[in-house]
Amino acid sequence: PIIRIDTNQGIYGLGEVRDGASKNYALMLKSRLLNQNPCNVDRLFRRIKQFGNHSRQAGGVCGVEMALWDLAGKAFNVPVYQMLGGKFRDRIRIYADTTESPDPKVFGQRLKARMDQGFTWLKMDLGVEMVSSVPGAVTRPAGTSFAFGDTTQHMFTGMEITEKGAALMSDYVAAVREQVGMDVPLSADHFGHIGVNSCIRLGKALEKHNMAWLEDMIPWQYTDLLKKINDAVDIPILTGEDIYLKESFIELARNHAVDIIQPDLATSGGILETKKIGDAAQELGVPMVMHFAGTPVSCMANVHCAAATENFLVMENHSVEVPWWGDLVNGVDKPIVNKGFITVPDKPGLGVTLN
């Protein structure tokens, strides 16, 4: 949901509650904002952050924080990135999620098409369900679900991938790499709810393909178990899209439980908190990528933050194939995602208005 915060000065700010979250997470904060100076963004964030939590429960706090930055930028006639200390880059590198296929050659061709569109970073889903029908590939208790959305955490399913299964998944990636080559970064996600030892077994099988990262192999809360995987596998391990506020990111980075952090700005605390997360991780030698799924309003909040954060690598976009996505806003060059990059806007605030 998109939100708008109006003032008695005729200025307004736009923000966005994270995908899949309720608008009520933002609306319930109204009483905490009335009669306050919206340009005191950090002060107001500290006032309302107690009402957020991990994952979608942070959507209201983060949406309001985005809108306050948009409003403050308009009040001072500067883009948000300038208020964060300026920018390290003029364009933000994007990767686009790509429709899966059980045939690795078909999927590889789809990723090659992304490269032809100008994308310089690729991402694939690589779940154990793709080998579940092969005898001897996955060991699991009868009736255990492969379905995405099962809330049983990875360590408690009893599901383990065999050497045979890991080799088959590695063969799939090899066929994809034949299509796209070894020069382009290729990340992977959605492995399925397999145990820690299986994560290590699969990770080792994928090392030869020089993956850019392996994402959310187990839930982010298990720092020691993530470190066990990270220490055993010579591929960057990544997590973070459901973490609220900087403290848990700092713990992961300080313990080197992951090689890369991935905040979703609409959950992590908004624009300034996410920059703080990136800066803190940089001090510990950890780069940052940005998870994103939403409208161009939240997209531009991410773009300003990415521009102002030195250790940023790449940002996600789920809407490259949605024809009307860019038409939701005015004020920026179209297409918004152009040859794999988004240009950082220089207009005041976030730089967009609603169409």
Side-chain angles (χ1 to χ4, degrees), residues 88 245-246 249-250 253 261-263 268 270-290 305-306 308-313:
F88 290 95
L245 303 181
K246 62 184 178 297
F249 285 102
I250 293 171
I261 55 165
Q262 181 183 234
S268 57
I271 295 171
L272 180 58
E273 185 78 358
T274 304
K275 175 171 167 53
K276 290 179 180 180
I277 289 164
D279 289 345
Q282 183 174 3
E283 294 296 319
L284 296 164
V286 176
M288 179 177 81
V289 306
M290 298 182 75
C305 182
T309 308
E310 187 176 13
N311 65 332
F312 165 81
L313 291 177

Side-chain angles (χ1 to χ4, degrees), residues 91-98 110-123 177 180-187 210 212-213 312-315 320 337-342:
R91 300 190 306 162
I92 304 306
R93 190 184 311 275
I94 300 295
Y95 73 83
D97 287 79
T98 303
R110 291 173 182 169
L111 287 182
K112 185 64 169 62
R114 289 280 188 235
M115 296 172 69
D116 294 339
Q117 292 169 345
F119 289 93
T120 57
W121 200 296
L122 305 175
K123 172 97 169 275
R177 274 294 194 194
V180 302
M182 290 294 290
D183 294 337
V184 63
L186 176 62
S187 305
N210 206 35
W213 72 67
F312 165 81
L313 291 177
V314 67
M315 173 181 152
V320 174
V337 181
N338 188 5
K339 297 181 179 178
F341 289 84
I342 297 177

Side-chain angles (χ1 to χ4, degrees), residues 79-99:
V80 170
Y81 74 76
Q82 195 64 62
M83 294 187 289
L84 299 175
K87 58 184 175 178
F88 290 95
R89 54 194 62 85
D90 297 319
R91 300 190 306 162
I92 304 306
R93 190 184 311 275
I94 300 295
Y95 73 83
D97 287 79
T98 303
T99 304

Side-chain angles (χ1 to χ4, degrees), residues 6-19:
D6 284 276
T7 69
N8 59 6
Q9 302 297 309
I11 306 174
Y12 69 88
L14 296 175
E16 183 175 338
V17 179
R18 186 176 172 181
D19 61 293

